């Protein structure tokens, strides 16, 4: 019990200390002679270990108001003994001193310091004061931000310009700039003006984007990413996340284990005396920077920093990444970022054409420690784009820009608007769209996806499919889609179609409906290669002979209430029939010795799907959107109710599934993705309506499947699973000289599954569809486990995993060990 009390007391003290750190400490008092009680004039009073202090006035009184405090306050004066007193940080208090006179002064000998590298001592002081100098120590702050982003094509050679395909675009090459190492052509630019607000307790932030100007982009949703919230690098963070990678900051809490430092200069920067530090990586190929920074001598705040990604860093497609930042003391002891510049060089190889990305941001109009009320921060989103933000005229921009545009920048708007209207340019854009999306745009129609035109399987034989959907030229509110397929072996047509209507894009509100009559692989994960993908036909370890003939009608309504919080109400009617000759639906009646064949199963169900991912953001197309993720866990809950006697449905049941997924970064040690799922089905059902666990019978690695499990191998009516994948980002291979140049990265994963099954389900439909007296689909009497070790970033686009199945090794036709591949493009 005593030990528990000590631990509790320690954590209480720790929490109080953490709360005080970064808050302003105010100390006042009087210094007097201990014998005469007379005030001592001009006596220095300061916090030990800092440069924060004051001197007494003619009344012997002092006052110190500072963020740079310590827990000890010291007073000295000539002829008096030094005195030190303990103080409480982060509060206002009175501390008086009574100094005792001293007798004869003793000789003091000062010798030169021949200790360690002085740069390390300076860095330690920067780290000691990092939380104080970080702007997030403040109760609140506001500022106006001006952001300018430009993209340039680089490596524009004369030979490239003279190619026939570019003759219609010859006018754009008049803007090529040859003054830098790589000739470049500006082709895209955006500007934004916004007001940014921050409050520390409770922590909230909000940005109001007042004005935007974009050349060449018609997607309005991109405007939310043009402000300051999505383009901000904070050098005070331990890790600077860019391109999905974590770069260790040169002033991270553990920087001394990754960087070396040299003290190379000192000078006044403005009216601040500063020291110049040079920093560089200790080891090759780690995600680090090299560069220089100026540090203020009294507050140890960063005055400016210039950092470039270290040569050979394990990152793809990025040839250069530069950060330049300037900080100013906008109020006493309040340092704020006032100018921010980024330069990124995207390039596949040194001799190929690449892209420069440039960002310049300036900040002004600071308001410090004047927090707004909680109502101000309420709303659907923390980023508000004003309705008239894109309608500002040139006079507004001329008055509002923090920095004037150059003549070349002014030309970009006109050049891009002209370029995108050329027929030849639209042709090139359509070819790129076909490659990325799989659809060929033909006016109001898009044909595709091209990779589903041909496939084959033992049930359908050769399968030919023609599909399409309406394009944005048809409508930006409603999209129709449909397809027709034919199998040469079963000699049957399959078909499907649907529509989606966007009522509101941001936040999203939509409804849709669809119908189909087609083959389906039960137990296939949503993210897996679809069965009519030709690659699934070519690269598989078992034939696709357990297909189900599905007739389905679906309608849904989707509503996003807040960014990251949405609901989807779905009604689904399905008719399932076994396809091919490998399995049947059969029932064994208890009073009969022979089986009874069941021709089909019919269900009607209503589902409520809920997703909550705090501060999740999306890039929107007209109908589809791509998640940019969130730093918080994502929670999904799915509840379904099977309605009996509706459209022939014969089953009543309830299904509840909960899933939590999270991505945790470990700084320079990589990151881990974890997904936990639990589910239960209430009511007895035939096995096709239960949880057919996600198998994978192709040679492609699928993140959302059990890659050594077969289709139709396991079924459950209650289950729980844990999936974890650790991406080491070259943590070990980067340190092996012979492997370093390959830039391979380690990946380790494991998946575990437990489940239960009520045998009463077998009375509805038997799992023995081969009539041999043995179940052909197994239940989980113990955990199913598989693990994998792999290498990713092979040739920059390939991941290969070695997988081991660790349980149920005696099941027929399984693989105990396998090699799987996955195509992935990653920085």
């Amino acid at each position: 019990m005593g030990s528990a009390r000590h631990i509790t007391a320690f954590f209480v003290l720790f929490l109080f200390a953490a709360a005080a750190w970064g808050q302003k400490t105010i100390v006042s008092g009087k210094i007097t002679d201990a014998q005469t009680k007379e005030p001592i004039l001009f006596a220095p009073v300061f916090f030990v270990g800092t440069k924060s202090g004051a001197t007494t006035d003619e009344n012997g009184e002092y006052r110190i108001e500072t963020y740079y405090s310590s827990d000890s306050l010291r007073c000295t004066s000539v002829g008096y003994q030094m005195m030190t007193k303990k103080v409480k940080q982060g509060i206002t208090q009175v501390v008086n001193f009574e100094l005792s006179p001293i007798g004869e002064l003793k000789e003091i000998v000062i010798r030169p310091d021949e200790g360690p590298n002085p740069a390390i001592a300076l860095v330690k002081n920067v780290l000691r004061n990092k939380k104080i100098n970080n702007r997030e120590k403040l109760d609140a702050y506001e500022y106006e931000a001006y952001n300018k982003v430009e993209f340039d094509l680089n490596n524009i050679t004369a030979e490239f310009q003279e190619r026939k395909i570019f003759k219609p675009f010859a006018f754009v090459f008049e803007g090529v700039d040859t003054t830098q190492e790589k000739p470049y052509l500006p082709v895209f630019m955006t500007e934004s003006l916004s007001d940014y607000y921050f409050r520390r307790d409770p922590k909230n932030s909000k940005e109001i984007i007042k004005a935007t100007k974009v050349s060449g982009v018609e997607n309005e949703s991109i405007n939310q990413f043009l402000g300051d919230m999505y383009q901000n690098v904070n050098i005070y963070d331990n890790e600077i996340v860019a391109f999905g990678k974590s770069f260790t900051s040169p002033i991270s809490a553990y920087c001394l284990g990754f960087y070396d430092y040299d003290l190379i200069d000192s000078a006044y920067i403005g009216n601040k005396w500063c020291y110049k530090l040079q920093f560089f990586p200790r080891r090759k190929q780690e995600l680090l920077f090299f560069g220089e920074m100026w540090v203020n001598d009294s507050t140890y705040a960063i005055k400016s920093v210039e950092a470039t990604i270290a040569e050979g860093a394990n990152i793809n497609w990025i040839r250069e990444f530069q950060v330049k930042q300037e900080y100013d003391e906008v109020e006493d002891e309040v340092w704020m970022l006032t100018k921010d510049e980024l330069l990124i060089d995207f390039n596949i190889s040194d001799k190929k054409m690449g892209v420069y990305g440039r960002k310049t941001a300036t900040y002004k109009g600071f308001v410090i420690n004047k927090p707004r009320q909680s109502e101000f921060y309420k709303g659907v989103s923390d980023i508000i784009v004003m309705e008239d933000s894109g309608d500002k005229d040139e006079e507004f921009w001329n008055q509002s820009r923090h920095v004037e545009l150059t003549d070349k920048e002014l030309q970009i708007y006109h050049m891009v608007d002209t370029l995108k209207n050329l027929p030849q340019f639209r042709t090139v854009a359509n070819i790129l769209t076909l490659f990325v999306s799989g659809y060929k745009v033909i006016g109001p129609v898009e044909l595709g996806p091209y990779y589903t035109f041909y496939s084959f399987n033992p049930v359908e034989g050769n399968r030919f499919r023609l599909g399409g959907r309406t394009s944005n030229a048809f409508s930006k509110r409603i999209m129709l889609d449909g397809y027709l397929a034919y199998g040469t072996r079963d000699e049957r047509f399959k078909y499907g179609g649907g529509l989606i209507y966007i009522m509101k894009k941001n936040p999203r509100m939509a409804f849709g409906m669809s119908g189909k009559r087609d083959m389906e692989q039960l137990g296939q994960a949503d993210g897996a290669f679809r069965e009519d993908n030709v690659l699934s036909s070519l690269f598989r370890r078992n034939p696709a002979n357990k297909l189900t003939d599905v007739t389905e009608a679906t309608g849904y309504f989707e509503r996003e209430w807040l960014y990251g919080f949405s609901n989807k109400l779905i009604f689904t009617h399905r008719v399932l029939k076994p396809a091919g000759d490998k399995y049947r639906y059969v029932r064994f009646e208890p009073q009969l010795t022979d089986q009874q064949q069941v021709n089909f199963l019919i269900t009607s169900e209503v589902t409520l799907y809920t997703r909550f991912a705090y501060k999740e953001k999306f890039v929107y197309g007209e109908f589809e959107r791509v998640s940019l993720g969130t730093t918080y866990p994502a929670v999904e809950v799915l509840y379904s109710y099977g309605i009996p006697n509706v459209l022939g449905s014969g089953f009543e049941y309830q299904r509840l599934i909960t899933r939590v997924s999270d991505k945790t970064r470990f700084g320079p040690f990589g990151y881990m993705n974890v997904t936990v799922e639990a589910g239960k089905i209430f009511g007895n059902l035939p096995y096709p309506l239960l949880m057919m666990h996600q198998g994978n019978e192709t040679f492609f690695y699928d993140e959302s499947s059990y890659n050594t499990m077969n289709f139709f191998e396991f079924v459950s009516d209650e289950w729980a699973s844990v999936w974890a994948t650790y991406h080491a980002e070259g943590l070990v291979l980067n340190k092996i000289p012979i492997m370093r140049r390959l830039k391979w990265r380690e990946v380790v994963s494991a998946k575990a599954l437990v489940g239960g099954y009520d045998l009463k389900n077998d009375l509805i439909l038997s799992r023995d569809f081969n009539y041999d007296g043995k179940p052909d689909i197994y239940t989980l009497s113990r955990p199913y486990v598989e693990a994998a070790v792999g290498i990713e970033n092979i040739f920059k686009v390939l991941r290969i995993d070695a997988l081991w199945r660790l349980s149920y090794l005696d099941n027929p036709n399984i693989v105990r060990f396998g090699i799987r591949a996955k195509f992935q493009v990653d920085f």
Side-chain angles (χ1 to χ4, degrees):
M1 290 293 292
S3 177
R5 286 195 300 269
H6 291 158
I7 294 173
T8 303
F10 170 78
F11 276 107
V12 170
L13 289 172
F14 176 79
L15 290 173
F16 274 110
W21 187 269
Q23 298 185 26
K24 185 170 286 189
T25 301
I26 302 175
V27 182
S28 60
K30 189 170 185 178
I31 314 299
T32 59
D33 187 303
Q35 295 178 357
T36 67
K37 308 303 180 184
E38 293 291 325
I40 300 176
L41 283 57
F42 312 118
V45 186
F46 59 92
F47 286 101
V48 178
T50 76
K51 295 189 178 183
S52 296
T55 57
T56 58
D57 59 18
E58 62 274 10
N59 298 315
E61 296 175 347
Y62 75 94
R63 178 182 173 86
I64 306 173
E65 188 172 336
T66 183
Y67 290 104
Y68 303 93
S69 64
S70 67
D71 62 356
S72 299
L73 188 66
R74 180 170 294 167
C75 180
T76 63
S77 184
V78 177
Y80 291 90
Q81 294 181 7
M82 179 177 64
M83 179 177 288
T84 303
K85 288 190 174 184
K86 289 291 185 182
V87 295
K88 294 181 179 180
Q89 293 177 269
I91 66 171
T92 300
Q93 59 207 290
V94 175
V95 179
N96 295 318
F97 289 86
E98 290 187 351
L99 302 185
S100 299
I102 59 177
E104 181 181 352
L105 295 178
K106 297 182 179 180
E107 179 183 12
I108 299 176
V109 179
I110 300 176
R111 295 184 176 88
D113 183 5
E114 297 179 357
N117 182 357
I120 301 300
L122 182 59
V123 171
K124 288 181 178 179
N125 278 322
V126 171
L127 299 181
R128 191 174 296 117
N129 291 276
K130 191 171 82 162
K131 288 186 178 180
I132 301 173
N133 289 318
N134 193 344
R135 62 188 180 182
E136 294 194 4
K137 73 175 179 188
L138 300 170
D139 292 333
Y141 59 81
E142 306 172 10
Y143 56 75
E144 182 183 73
Y146 169 72
N147 280 278
K148 178 177 64 178
V149 178
E150 177 184 327
F151 286 96
D152 312 320
L153 297 178
N154 60 34
N155 270 346
I156 303 292
T157 63
E159 181 183 358
F160 178 86
Q161 299 176 39
E162 293 170 0
R163 294 179 181 177
K164 289 184 179 181
I165 190 174
F166 295 115
K167 282 188 176 180
F169 316 137
F171 72 95
V172 304
F173 295 121
E174 297 174 3
V176 171
D177 191 320
T178 59
T179 59
Q180 295 191 3
E181 180 182 353
K182 294 181 180 180
Y184 68 91
L185 174 68
V187 294
F188 170 86
M189 192 171 73
T190 73
E191 296 176 273
S192 73
L193 193 70
S194 61
D195 291 327
Y196 183 85
Y197 305 86
F198 173 85
R199 183 179 65 176
R200 183 172 57 85
D201 188 19
K203 189 172 183 179
N204 290 109
S205 61
K206 186 172 185 176
E207 184 172 19
I208 300 176
I209 299 179
K210 303 182 291 186
T212 60
K213 191 173 184 180
V214 185
S215 68
V217 175
E218 297 178 356
N219 187 337
E220 294 179 0
S221 75
I222 202 70
N223 289 344
Q224 65 178 313
F225 304 103
L226 301 181
D228 192 54
M229 197 172 288
Y230 278 92
Q231 303 179 54
N232 195 281
V233 172
N234 188 351
I235 197 70
Y236 286 98
D237 289 339
N238 288 331
E239 298 295 322
I240 297 172
V241 179
F243 320 109
K245 305 296 180 185
S246 294
F247 292 81
T248 301
S249 168
I251 57 170
S252 73
Y254 35 82
C255 62
L256 295 175
F258 294 87
Y259 287 93
D260 282 325
Y261 300 85
D262 285 331
L263 181 60
I264 59 176
D265 199 0
S266 59
Y268 275 104
I269 307 295
N271 62 345
K272 301 293 183 182
W273 184 257
C274 299
Y275 297 107
K276 187 176 185 180
L277 276 176
Q278 186 178 65
F279 52 88
F280 43 91
R282 287 190 166 194
R283 293 171 293 274
K284 295 181 178 180
Q285 262 187 288
E286 294 183 346
L287 296 179
L288 303 170
F289 298 96
F290 72 87
E292 301 170 345
M293 58 184 168
W294 288 90
V295 180
N296 179 238
D297 76 319
S298 58
T299 64
Y300 300 105
I302 304 300
K303 182 68 176 71
S304 66
V305 60
E306 294 188 16
T308 302
I309 186 174
E311 184 178 357
N314 193 339
I315 188 169
N316 298 327
W317 326 118
I318 306 299
R319 300 291 169 179
E320 191 172 9
F321 177 33
Q322 294 181 358
V323 180
K324 295 183 180 180
Q325 295 188 329
E326 295 179 9
Y327 294 81
D328 286 314
E329 194 174 24
V330 297
E331 289 188 4
D332 287 343
E333 299 185 348
V334 176
W335 290 82
M336 298 292 289
L337 179 66
T338 54
K339 188 173 183 180
D340 189 12
E341 296 182 33
L342 296 178
L343 171 63
I344 304 163
D345 183 3
F346 301 88
N347 214 306
I348 296 176
S349 69
D350 291 332
K351 297 182 180 180
K352 301 293 183 180
M353 185 176 67
V355 176
Y356 280 138
R358 307 174 191 268
K359 174 213 168 183
T360 301
T362 54
Y363 310 95
K364 68 180 185 179
F366 295 96
V367 178
I368 305 299
N369 287 339
K370 295 181 179 179
R372 293 177 178 258
Q373 297 299 316
S374 298
E375 289 73 17
F376 176 78
Y377 293 97
K378 291 181 179 179
V380 175
S381 173
D382 52 6
I383 301 177
I384 307 298
V385 181
M386 303 298 290
E387 290 186 3
D388 63 344
S389 63
D391 302 329
K392 305 300 182 183
D393 58 22
E394 196 58 37
E395 181 180 356
F396 170 88
W397 283 105
N398 289 336
Q399 294 176 354
S400 302
R401 287 186 183 102
H402 295 187
V403 181
E404 291 186 9
L405 296 183
T406 66
D407 291 340
K408 190 173 291 294
E409 289 171 336
L410 289 170
Q411 294 172 6
I412 296 175
Y413 288 117
H414 173 72
M415 181 181 66
V416 174
D417 291 338
T418 304
L419 183 65
K420 69 180 183 180
N421 290 321
L422 290 177
Q424 298 91 335
F425 178 82
R426 291 199 297 269
T427 299
V428 173
N430 287 339
I431 293 173
L432 293 175
T433 300
L434 174 64
F435 177 75
V436 174
S437 70
Y439 286 87
K440 165 65 177 175
V441 181
I442 306 175
V445 177
E446 299 179 6
L447 298 180
Y450 62 83
Y451 47 79
T452 63
F453 175 74
Y454 173 76
S455 60
F456 61 89
N457 61 69
V459 177
E460 297 178 275
N462 296 304
R463 173 185 167 110
F464 299 92
R465 181 186 186 278
L466 183 63
R469 63 189 183 187
T470 56
S471 69
N472 294 343
F474 174 80
S475 173
K476 293 184 179 181
R477 284 280 187 182
I478 187 169
M479 181 176 71
L480 309 175
D481 68 90
Y483 71 90
L484 182 67
Y486 181 78
T488 59
R489 181 171 182 177
D490 64 355
E491 297 181 338
R492 282 187 48 221
F493 283 100
K494 294 87 179 176
Y495 50 84
L499 67 86
I500 178 174
Y501 178 74
I502 302 296
M503 305 170 67
K504 190 178 180 182
K505 184 184 295 184
N506 196 6
R508 186 178 179 89
M509 184 163 64
F511 74 82
M513 59 183 66
S514 64
K516 72 173 184 178
R517 172 73 185 276
D518 205 346
M519 296 297 173
E520 186 175 310
Q521 176 64 70
L522 299 183
Q524 184 176 56
D526 293 337
F529 271 125
R530 45 194 291 174
E531 284 302 310
D532 57 1
N533 188 320
V534 65
L535 294 177
S536 294
S537 302
L538 291 171
F539 300 101
R540 58 184 310 120
R541 56 185 176 83
N542 286 330
N545 56 11
K546 300 188 185 90
L547 300 179
T548 300
D549 184 351
V550 177
T551 302
E552 179 182 280
T554 300
Y556 70 87
F557 174 75
E558 180 182 7
R559 174 68 186 269
E560 188 173 40
W561 305 96
L562 301 170
Y563 285 106
F565 178 59
S566 62
N567 286 121
K568 194 172 186 179
L569 186 64
I570 311 165
F571 175 79
T572 305
H573 176 73
R574 283 164 66 91
V575 180
L576 282 67
K577 299 179 182 179
D581 55 4
K582 289 299 180 182
Y583 81 107
R584 293 284 186 269
Y585 292 167
V586 295
R587 178 188 299 121
F588 288 94
E589 297 290 349
Q591 66 273 23
L592 299 176
T593 56
D594 295 331
Q595 71 272 8
Q596 177 185 355
Q597 183 165 324
V598 178
N599 293 323
F600 51 79
L601 305 172
I602 302 178
T603 64
S604 295
E605 72 174 35
V606 60
T607 297
L608 178 63
Y609 171 75
T610 301
R611 176 180 172 83
F612 178 64
Y614 185 58
K615 292 191 175 182
E616 182 178 32
K617 295 298 186 296
F618 297 88
V619 174
Y620 292 82
E622 298 301 337
F623 299 96
E624 300 169 337
R625 60 183 186 173
V626 177
S627 173
L628 296 178
T630 173
T631 57
Y632 300 89
V635 180
E636 299 168 274
V637 178
L638 185 146
Y639 172 78
S640 300
Y641 173 68
I643 313 171
N645 305 316
V646 173
L647 301 176
S649 171
F651 304 98
E652 182 177 13
Y653 56 90
Q654 298 179 70
R655 181 190 300 113
L656 179 64
I657 302 174
T658 302
R659 183 183 303 114
V660 179
S661 55
D662 191 22
K663 180 176 183 178
T664 303
R665 295 187 179 275
F666 303 114
F669 304 106
Y671 65 94
M672 177 179 287
N673 293 324
V674 177
T675 300
V676 179
E677 179 181 293
K680 184 173 177 60
I681 298 172
F682 302 88
N684 295 123
L685 292 173
Y687 67 82
L689 305 183
L690 299 175
M691 171 53 79
M692 303 285 290
H693 294 293
Q694 307 98 310
N696 180 16
E697 295 184 354
T698 72
F699 292 108
F700 294 101
Y701 184 85
D702 179 19
E703 296 269 10
S704 53
S705 299
Y706 298 96
N707 288 280
T708 59
M709 183 186 292
N710 292 333
F711 292 128
F712 277 63
E713 186 176 357
F714 292 102
V715 64
S716 300
D717 55 21
E718 58 181 1
W719 68 96
S721 63
V722 178
W723 299 355
T725 303
Y726 171 59
H727 299 263
E729 298 284 77
L731 181 64
V732 176
L733 297 179
N734 283 348
K735 297 174 176 60
I736 303 174
I738 196 172
M739 305 294 294
R740 188 177 294 150
R741 292 178 61 86
L742 297 174
K743 293 188 177 181
W744 289 357
R745 303 165 186 166
E746 316 85 341
V747 58
V748 180
S749 63
K751 297 180 179 180
L753 169 69
V754 295
Y757 182 84
D758 188 344
L759 293 177
K760 292 180 181 178
N761 296 318
D762 289 343
L763 300 178
I764 303 174
L765 207 63
S766 174
R767 290 176 288 124
D768 176 16
F769 47 73
N770 283 325
Y771 322 130
D772 58 3
K774 300 177 182 178
D776 294 291
I777 306 176
Y778 298 92
T779 61
L780 291 160
S781 59
R782 60 186 187 278
Y784 172 90
V785 182
E786 66 180 30
V789 176
I791 301 293
E792 53 188 354
N793 206 43
I794 301 172
F795 306 120
K796 300 183 180 180
V797 295
L798 185 64
R799 168 179 166 178
I800 295 180
D801 285 73
L803 297 109
W804 288 267
R805 177 163 167 157
L806 304 178
S807 58
Y808 296 95
L809 302 181
D810 295 328
N811 284 10
N813 301 318
I814 60 100
V815 290
R816 297 189 176 196
F817 173 80
I819 302 294
R820 300 291 180 267
K822 178 184 179 182
F823 293 102
Q824 61 182 29
V825 178
D826 190 11
F827 285 106

